[in-house]
Amino acid sequence: MDKIRNFCIIAHIDHGKSTLADRMLEITQTVDVRQMENQVLDDMDLEKERGITIKSHAIQMQHKGYTLNLIDTPGHVDFSYEVSRSIAACEGAILVVDATQGVQAQTISNLYMAIEHDLEIIPVLNKCDMDNAMPERVEDEIVDLLGCKREEILRCSAKTGEGVPEILDAIVERIPAPKGDPNAPLQCLVFDSVFNSFRGIIAYFKVVNGTMKTGDQVRFVNTGKEYDADEIGILKLEMSPRKEISAGNVGYIISGIKTSTEVKVGDTITHVARPCDKAIAGFEEAKPMVFAGVYPIESEDYEDLRASLEKLQLNDASLTFQPESSMALGFGFRCGFLGLLHMEIIQERLDREFDMDVITTVPNVSYNVYTKDGGMVEVHNPAGMPDLTEIDRIEEPYIRASVITTADYIGPIMTLCLGKRGELVKQEYISGNRMELLFDMPLGEIVIDFYDKLKSISKGYASFDWHMNGFRPSNLVKLDILLNGEQVDALSTLTHRDNAVDFGRRMCEKLKELLPRQQFDIAIQAAIGAKIIARETVKQVRKDVLAKCYGGDVSRKRKLLEKQKRGKKRMKQIGNVEVPQKAFLAVLKLD
């Protein structure tokens, strides 16, 4: 066990985690020259195209007689739960900071997470070969942040490989070996799972105590299910089977599990014959933050969509879904996502991997609605709101948001955050010209377009990170959209009373542009309860029925117009208004 080191790489988006991992695999000759490519651990096409890591990956390397288990982690704020469980399986972390950009919001939040788990931190300055690198200034920031000595910070360039061997040496010297007893009852922590269509679910685990052998009967403590360990092994670029894995090591287990709910990330694996006393603590389920309805474009694809979502859930445990139906869109699912990027990626994966075309409704967050009889309902969907007369109060989720930016953009960023009902908690200088602003904000306000706006007003220089900060009572109302008096439930939203009139008016104007004209007038109305707060009309398409009247008495013309009017009235009674997919997307882009 003294020869094992478990570590992860944490950093802000685009600071070079995956590139550094590539160089390490190259230097330790874990990956053959023929197999080498950029972002070798990111195996999804989507990850390579967007240049982001979506799932954390584990791989084992050998360096100077030591076994190094590396877990590469995502950098985007939506996937911070992936980072938290990778951290729990390690004894040390490499903190990568971009020498051209300095410390960013995500750097700080991931660092705090690592410190909470008592990890040994190795600070690394990446991209030192760039012309616009500021190594001295960024080193000052790291010293302020970590309180470490200046000489402890390693400089490297992950692209050229310069300085990477020193990092590998530092891992061996500074990161402690895992603690644990190979002869104690078996205790393994599951930190990830993937789905293989031939072999079922493969669980990745770290052995905390004990030893697991092929063919052992094992039990998953939280679910209580028992299996045979058909194959166990360690993770190279491909899986490589082993006869046994003992304390301190990281490996995988295949035991023919078919249903995703049976493998919970953070669960403990133990022997059936000699179980451990208690499960490993400190893991919670990933909690979805953003909810949206996902509906198939063709209603007969409903069952296919269910199967696709179930398969996706095997690869991505944080996706939750339950069936729901809508008057406008038919049958579909209410899905829970970790954030907007996660939602976009799930949509993209449904399209690519399962060939499913879907309509997604307006995303919203979950609210706690307290009724007058003392009950509490958790509402993910405006359609599930109790009647107005029964509601005592509504509480919405708040977040603590941290924005790091240069002093030049503080004015516009404050205007943006305060406009989203944010409250400034504190502001402080980190170093030189850079400041950290802390806001308390409602999660519902940042769900739609906050991140894009923040990036555009700060010219890309502001970084943003957040975590949950409880629920607070709020004056929320349900805004309905009516077409010819018929409510379109997929366009309903919960919004703050102060914003409702303005939002309703903008929505009506946008729908007026997007709805195709019919043979009859379409009235678009925004309503709160029974009160109409905005209205627009899409004018009817009319045939010129007076074209054939040359002169003559006005009563002839009136007769023709009356006849046309009666026809339009009958049409309106039986006519249906189809809402195009563009209309649902436009609500997200309301500006």
Side-chain angles (χ1 to χ4, degrees):
M1 272 178 72
D2 300 341
K3 296 282 185 188
I4 298 175
R5 300 286 183 271
N6 299 322
F7 70 100
C8 59
I9 305 182
I10 52 177
H12 189 74
I13 316 162
D14 281 349
H15 280 202
K17 292 178 295 301
S18 297
T19 316
L20 180 60
D22 287 353
R23 290 298 83 75
M24 287 180 170
L25 296 176
E26 218 169 58
I27 289 167
T28 56
Q29 295 176 347
T30 308
V31 178
D32 206 335
V33 179
R34 288 167 309 165
Q35 295 171 308
M36 197 60 210
E37 53 177 335
N38 285 343
Q39 285 174 272
V40 71
L41 290 180
D42 295 347
D43 46 15
M44 257 186 268
D45 294 343
L46 240 147
E47 293 181 311
K48 286 197 169 28
E49 278 169 32
R50 288 172 174 241
I52 57 176
T53 304
I54 294 169
K55 276 193 79 61
S56 47
H57 294 267
I59 193 162
Q60 193 175 89
M61 308 180 276
Q62 300 296 329
H63 178 69
K64 296 186 177 171
Y66 285 83
T67 299
L68 310 182
N69 288 312
L70 153 70
I71 301 177
D72 182 24
T73 61
H76 198 279
V77 61
D78 279 10
F79 304 117
S80 52
Y81 84 101
E82 288 260 354
V83 182
S84 78
R85 59 193 201 196
S86 305
I87 284 175
C90 296
E91 281 81 38
I94 295 180
L95 181 74
V96 180
V97 183
D98 187 333
T100 62
Q101 293 183 6
V103 171
Q104 303 277 315
Q106 208 66 38
T107 317
I108 295 177
S109 82
N110 286 344
L111 173 69
Y112 287 157
M113 217 186 290
I115 290 172
E116 271 170 37
H117 283 83
D118 284 341
L119 298 197
E120 179 63 39
I121 311 270
I122 301 177
V124 169
L125 207 57
N126 189 18
K127 307 192 187 180
C128 289
D129 58 331
M130 304 270 281
D131 296 340
N132 57 344
M134 317 167 283
E136 308 297 328
R137 217 173 92 187
V138 180
E139 273 184 1
D140 290 340
E141 289 178 18
I142 297 175
V143 170
D144 287 348
L145 185 65
L146 273 175
C148 62
K149 296 189 181 69
R150 220 188 164 88
E151 53 273 16
E152 286 177 15
I153 302 170
L154 302 171
R155 292 189 183 187
C156 79
S157 160
K159 201 170 183 179
T160 60
E162 178 194 334
V164 179
E166 286 77 4
I167 297 175
L168 289 166
D169 294 341
I171 292 167
V172 171
E173 288 157 21
R174 296 192 206 171
I175 292 178
K179 297 179 181 67
D181 178 1
N183 302 317
L186 180 69
Q187 238 187 348
C188 307
L189 172 72
V190 178
F191 65 86
D192 204 356
S193 64
V194 290
F195 176 70
N196 181 311
S197 46
F198 301 107
R199 314 205 56 180
I201 292 173
I202 303 169
Y204 296 164
F205 61 84
K206 177 198 175 184
V207 185
V208 180
N209 284 312
T211 304
M212 188 192 287
K213 297 186 171 73
T214 308
D216 282 354
Q217 260 205 316
V218 295
R219 177 188 296 138
F220 283 71
V221 177
N222 286 351
T223 56
K225 300 271 199 236
E226 298 180 0
Y227 307 100
D228 289 331
D230 300 336
E231 180 182 315
I232 59 171
I234 56 166
L235 297 150
K236 296 281 192 184
L237 198 56
E238 277 85 31
M239 295 182 289
S240 88
R242 293 283 185 272
K243 284 277 178 284
E244 64 171 51
I245 298 178
S246 63
N249 233 322
V250 174
Y252 69 89
I253 175 171
I254 299 175
S255 49
I257 307 171
K258 292 289 182 284
T259 30
S260 63
T261 46
E262 290 177 22
V263 178
K264 291 261 191 292
V265 165
D267 203 345
T268 305
I269 307 177
T270 187
H271 280 137
V272 174
R274 190 178 162 216
C276 56
D277 307 334
K278 58 180 195 300
I280 299 163
F283 251 104
E284 63 270 6
E285 299 246 329
K287 249 185 91 80
M289 293 299 162
V290 175
F291 296 86
V294 174
Y295 293 87
I297 288 185
E298 300 296 333
S299 52
E300 59 263 26
D301 293 344
Y302 174 72
E303 282 304 326
D304 294 348
L305 179 60
R306 179 197 290 275
S308 309
L309 283 169
E310 279 170 359
K311 283 181 186 156
L312 256 186
Q313 201 178 29
L314 299 176
N315 265 328
D316 187 343
S318 55
L319 169 71
T320 60
F321 63 91
Q322 60 198 56
E324 72 165 2
S325 64
S326 143
M327 295 287 287
L329 299 169
F331 290 102
F333 295 93
R334 187 100 203 137
C335 297
F337 308 98
L338 297 168
L340 280 185
L341 177 77
H342 188 215
M343 176 172 138
E344 210 177 298
I345 278 167
I346 293 288
Q347 243 177 304
E348 187 93 5
R349 286 181 70 183
L350 278 173
D351 184 30
R352 288 185 184 200
E353 295 171 27
F354 305 100
D355 210 17
M356 293 295 312
D357 280 339
V358 293
I359 292 178
T360 313
T361 63
V362 188
N364 54 18
V365 297
S366 68
Y367 299 93
N368 290 346
V369 180
Y370 290 87
T371 51
K372 287 184 177 162
D373 56 11
M376 194 273 280
V377 192
E378 202 173 279
V379 174
H380 303 314
N381 183 358
M385 282 278 282
D387 201 82
L388 268 177
T389 50
E390 296 169 17
I391 295 174
D392 178 38
R393 67 183 192 280
I394 303 177
E395 291 189 350
E396 64 175 334
Y398 263 70
I399 60 166
R400 173 63 57 89
S402 146
V403 178
I404 294 181
T405 178
T406 51
D408 320 344
Y409 304 111
I410 284 177
I413 287 174
M414 281 209 178
T415 313
L416 172 71
C417 293
L418 298 174
K420 297 273 187 192
R421 297 192 284 133
E423 298 162 15
L424 183 64
V425 181
K426 69 169 184 179
Q427 58 184 64
E428 57 184 0
Y429 276 96
I430 301 176
S431 66
N433 194 22
R434 311 228 348 259
M435 286 190 78
E436 180 178 27
L437 304 170
L438 284 179
F439 289 92
D440 276 348
M441 297 173 74
L443 180 61
E445 293 281 342
I446 67 158
V447 151
I448 293 184
D449 57 357
F450 176 79
Y451 197 63
D452 300 346
K453 281 185 176 167
L454 179 72
K455 283 292 182 199
S456 55
I457 61 175
S458 65
K459 301 194 172 67
Y461 278 109
S463 65
F464 172 69
D465 181 56
W466 56 272
H467 56 263
M468 286 304 290
N469 198 17
F471 281 76
R472 297 188 195 177
S474 187
N475 188 2
L476 297 167
V477 290
K478 181 181 168 200
L479 181 74
D480 290 318
I481 298 293
L482 311 174
L483 296 181
N484 280 345
E486 291 286 321
Q487 187 184 325
V488 183
D489 52 2
L491 289 175
S492 297
T493 46
L494 278 172
T495 180
H496 196 266
R497 194 179 287 276
D498 298 349
N499 306 340
V501 175
D502 179 47
F503 186 67
R505 192 173 296 132
R506 292 203 321 246
M507 222 143 123
C508 290
E509 286 165 4
K510 194 79 183 172
L511 284 170
K512 185 182 176 181
E513 293 168 24
L514 293 170
L515 288 181
R517 287 172 69 188
Q518 305 280 358
Q519 296 280 354
F520 48 87
D521 280 355
I522 304 173
I524 305 169
Q525 294 166 311
I528 296 173
K531 184 183 173 194
I532 304 291
I533 54 170
R535 173 181 169 131
E536 294 285 339
T537 310
V538 179
K539 281 299 193 197
Q540 60 194 10
V541 183
R542 287 184 56 187
K543 180 181 171 189
D544 186 1
V545 287
L546 302 183
K548 62 185 182 204
C549 285
Y550 296 106
D553 190 9
V554 73
S555 59
R556 289 177 61 206
K557 294 182 180 175
R558 193 168 294 133
K559 185 177 150 193
L560 287 167
L561 287 170
E562 285 296 327
K563 189 177 172 189
Q564 184 185 35
K565 197 172 170 184
R566 283 198 303 277
K568 296 276 183 203
K569 191 174 173 185
R570 196 167 74 247
M571 239 183 243
K572 187 172 184 172
Q573 283 167 348
I574 59 169
N576 254 342
V577 185
E578 283 289 314
V579 184
Q581 163 72 358
K582 278 190 304 197
F584 295 108
L585 296 177
V587 182
L588 308 184
K589 306 274 189 296
L590 272 184
D591 207 23

